[in-house]
Amino acid sequence: MDINSIGWNVCEWSKDGAWCVYFGSNWRMASTSHPPVAFSGSLASKTSASDLLRSSRNGVCGVPLKALGRARLGSKKRDFTISAKVRKVKKHEYPWPEDPDLNVKGGVLSHLSPFKPLKERQKPVTLDFEKPLMDLQKKIIDVQKMANETGLDFSDQIISLENKYQQALKDLYTHLTPIQRVNIARHPNRPTFLDHIFNITEKFVELHGDRAGYDDPAIVTGIGTINGRSYMFMGHQKGRNTKENIQRNFGMPTPHGYRKALRMMYYADHHGFPIITFIDTPGAYADLKSEELGQGEAIAHNLRTMFGLKVPIISIVMGEGGSGGALAIGCANKLLMLENAVFYVASPEACAAILWKTAKASPKAAEKLKITAQELSRLQIADGSIPEPLGGAHADPYWTSQQIKIAIEESMDELTKMDTQELLRHRMLKFRKLGGFQEGVPIDPKRKVNMKKKEEPLLPPGIPDVELMDEVEKLKQEIQKAKESTGKIPDTGLNEMIEKLRREIDFEFSEAAKALGLEEKLVMAREEFAKTRNSNDQSMHPVLKEKLDQIKDEFNRNISAAPNHASLTNKLEMLQEMSKAQKLSEKNSKVNKLKEEINKRLKEVMNRPDLKEKMDALKAEIKSTGVSRVMDLDQGIKEKLVQLKDEMDTEFSGVFESLGLNVNPALLPDAKRRIDEFNNEITTVMEDLVNSTDLKNKIELLKMEVAKAGKTADAESKAKIQALEQQIKQSLAQAMSFPELKQKHEKLKEEVVETVESLEGSNGSLLADNGGANSGVGVNVDANRSFA
């Protein structure tokens, strides 16, 4: 038999659903010719498909030998045909549709992905903290409806409401709390992994299976291109509705999903494709079957493998990243997070249930966990934050995808410049530098609720007093040495010491309040104060002020009984001493700068050509007379000296006034003493007035109004502040208008005028020491300059 002469023809599906196979053959035997036989009827029914397709050892070309023996009886050569029927089954259309679109974005291979646009639009979901915005939106819709029904023009009202809505939306989304960001990250309409992929890639081919018999739909992998560069993409895929969420297991992968991702990592590493992972999962699926199949082993295998991959890896947290389920595809060179994404080791609800025994404490847990993009970037866990539109990523998915695309390109440009060893070291150091620790700080354990209270509670120690005193003494010596050598007090060490002392004093005050049992009262007072700042009701101010005064008085009365009173007193004294040194340093610095500026300006005046010419001419005239003493000069030269002195005094006064200084003539000690006494009397009257109940209440109310208004005060707050300031000024003016004070002021003024006139009439004082030493200026312009 010539086996090569056998022809095989396979037909397509028949109308009745049977799959037909035709065997057509002409063969020749070596000795005799055997006519072919057509098998049908009972022979066809008695012969099984396995007999017909058996090897030629049991017959000729799979035909049983018994049938061939009976076929020799005929002499006519005939073709035979064998037909086989396969049971009818439903035609499977996946992955190809009946009429695939060849021009679809990403090419015809994109039909391999079952992810298709939703037939129905997603229903809008309003979060709890967004409900005030919905009220504004409802008003806008009502006004628009009224305008359409009545035909009236409400465009101004609509624009005003829309502006208010946009401003409220901006204020809300720029001051989100951590738990609010968690709710946004879990929003049902938030874009999924495949939404972003089809927005940022030109071509994308989804790859399936872990090559162990499973394909987890919760993790999607595939190859795509961005600007002509190929990448391996993998990420958690949540559903867009309930049906898809059930299919995708709500984005919680099983071990099969992580092994599929691992296979694609090896594939990308072999072919040199950079890897981009998208994280959006509450955590790995934790059912019994997943644990039996090795969930922990699959995650650990991924962690170990990702640190050895020789291609760049970028991970993007686009929603919530929960525990090891997120980290299994998150060991990357760059970890980027969307603005409202979260990344945590335990969900806020789980953390609150563990620590506070109730999930209602989740807002507090979210704040303590530091899980937002901003906080993780500050802690250097995340490498950057990708902006989202106002309202979250679901408000404008395409814009968000483009921001992700920009971040990917920038990060990939940086990573592709590294060689393999540098890339591996970069990935290793990123995780090695996470976290921090502090040694040598003993911390007492917290007392349990059922523990017996001690008579004196143990206070967590701060810096010991002896150590602080040694540091302060050492700083004093350094300041003294610097002052002797340069004449200046160093600011850096002094400022650091003051900050340290302030922290220690705050700590001591807090511990004293706890020991005296005033901590709860202080917390309640803070809460009430915060409420009054957010409220327009001013009647709370006096009540709150009275409470604060009571707490302050009680604290001051009992502070001596606090266990840390001695430590607090010592630290306060050290802070007072350092503050005095700081003030002195600032004062000396200002004085030195002012002296330098004055000398500079006065030197400019003295070097003016006209004044210099007059001085040189007067010097030459005095020298020509041959007189050595000023008293022996004639009257004409004396008048010229007085005239030149007056001109220079005028110039000097202009210089001082330009620097904000007042030039006063030198006074006699008796007149100066009287002025000081009058100033002290005025100060006493002012203090008595300020300490009076009426004015004191007005001043306190003014402080509260200013604190409440803040930097951006509205018109009503400004009016209240101005009215209070005017009342305080009027009270002070009334106090200063007492007849006794007026009489003393007038009398003192006359005495000062007489003293100044007597000083100006004395020629000896006017002409002594370069004509300006007693003018009250007190600045040495040039000690070596003289007229002689």
Side-chain angles (χ1 to χ4, degrees), residues 260-480:
K260 175 168 71 170
L262 181 66
R263 183 175 76 87
M264 300 306 167
M265 291 177 195
Y266 284 131
Y267 184 85
D269 190 48
H270 176 74
H271 293 282
F273 294 146
I275 299 173
I276 301 173
T277 68
F278 287 75
I279 297 171
D280 185 15
T281 178
Y285 195 45
D287 67 329
L288 179 61
K289 190 67 175 177
S290 296
E291 295 299 331
E292 289 175 351
L293 293 172
Q295 184 75 280
E297 183 273 340
I299 293 174
H301 199 171
N302 281 26
L303 297 179
R304 184 186 69 180
T305 302
M306 291 188 79
F307 281 103
L309 297 177
K310 299 176 183 179
V311 293
I313 307 175
I314 297 175
S315 291
I316 298 169
V317 184
M318 56 181 178
E320 55 178 338
S323 191
L327 201 60
I329 59 171
C331 298
N333 296 94
K334 292 278 187 179
L335 177 66
L336 307 176
M337 296 180 66
L338 287 180
E339 185 180 354
N340 295 317
V342 290
F343 197 48
Y344 47 72
V345 68
S347 67
E349 293 81 6
C351 177
I354 294 169
L355 297 181
W356 293 285
K357 309 303 180 186
T358 174
K360 293 181 179 179
S362 56
K364 183 178 180 181
E367 184 177 355
K368 298 293 184 183
L369 283 171
K370 310 293 183 187
I371 58 178
T372 62
Q374 295 75 21
E375 291 166 335
L376 293 175
S377 296
R378 182 174 56 82
L379 294 172
Q380 297 183 352
I381 294 174
D383 296 294
S385 176
I386 301 173
E388 293 185 26
L390 291 177
H394 52 279
D396 193 347
Y398 183 78
W399 187 87
T400 307
S401 299
Q402 297 310 306
Q403 299 304 309
I404 293 175
K405 182 178 180 180
I406 293 170
I408 289 174
E409 290 176 342
E410 291 177 354
S411 300
M412 199 56 69
D413 289 341
E414 179 184 348
L415 295 175
T416 50
K417 295 177 182 178
M418 302 180 185
D419 57 21
T420 302
Q421 294 303 319
E422 189 178 358
L423 196 68
L424 293 173
R425 180 172 175 78
H426 177 272
R427 196 178 307 148
M428 181 268 293
L429 291 178
K430 170 180 169 52
F431 287 86
R432 290 289 294 172
K433 72 179 181 181
L434 298 182
F437 59 90
Q438 189 175 7
E439 293 181 345
V441 181
I443 299 176
D444 289 341
K446 285 188 175 181
R447 292 181 300 140
K448 295 183 179 179
V449 178
N450 58 353
M451 289 178 66
K452 183 180 177 181
K453 291 186 178 180
K454 298 182 180 180
E455 296 179 358
E456 292 184 1
L458 294 173
L459 299 177
I463 301 177
D465 292 354
V466 177
E467 185 177 340
L468 269 178
M469 291 176 68
D470 291 342
E471 291 182 10
V472 170
E473 196 62 35
K474 185 178 179 181
L475 182 61
K476 284 183 186 177
Q477 295 175 2
E478 292 177 359
I479 290 173
Q480 188 64 28

Side-chain angles (χ1 to χ4, degrees), residues 1-7 23-39 59-65 67-69 71-72 74-82:
M1 170 188 274
D2 187 2
I3 301 297
N4 294 326
S5 63
I6 298 176
F23 298 87
S25 174
N26 292 321
W27 67 84
R28 298 179 181 85
M29 298 298 292
S31 57
T32 60
S33 176
H34 301 281
V37 180
F39 296 92
V60 180
C61 195
V63 180
L65 296 176
L68 288 176
R72 291 174 185 171
S75 60
K76 187 177 179 181
K77 179 180 178 181
R78 285 190 270 176
D79 292 335
F80 71 90
T81 302
I82 301 174

